[in-house]
Amino acid sequence: MGAIFFLFLLYIVIFLAVKHGINYSYIGQLIKNKYPDDIEAKNTEVSDEEIERELQKQSDKN
């Protein structure tokens, strides 16, 4: 049981270190500056109202 907890903790530490390293690296900053819309678009959520409007538009076309 202790080994499983240790491996899980190790996974979290490595994941966060890699994520931090990529986000703050020179190449990571270049990509973030070159494609800011792509990164922000993936992080935004779509509301139910927007989905309903799009579905309404699709049904009106048919």
Side-chain angles (χ1 to χ4, degrees):
M1 186 69 165
I4 294 173
F5 176 74
F6 175 73
L7 290 174
F8 180 70
L9 187 62
L10 185 63
Y11 169 78
I12 291 174
V13 169
I14 292 172
F15 173 77
L16 291 176
V18 169
K19 183 177 176 183
H20 177 78
I22 290 172
N23 286 339
Y24 291 101
S25 69
Y26 180 70
I27 294 174
Q29 291 297 318
L30 283 176
I31 292 171
K32 203 181 283 188
N33 290 334
K34 188 171 182 177
Y35 304 107
D37 295 336
D38 294 341
I39 295 170
E40 292 175 9
K42 292 180 182 175
N43 291 335
T44 59
E45 293 184 17
V46 179
S47 69
D48 290 338
E49 292 85 18
E50 292 176 27
I51 294 172
E52 289 176 6
R53 275 187 254 136
E54 288 297 320
L55 290 173
Q56 186 66 30
K57 288 179 188 176
Q58 292 293 328
S59 66
D60 290 344
K61 288 181 182 178
N62 295 330

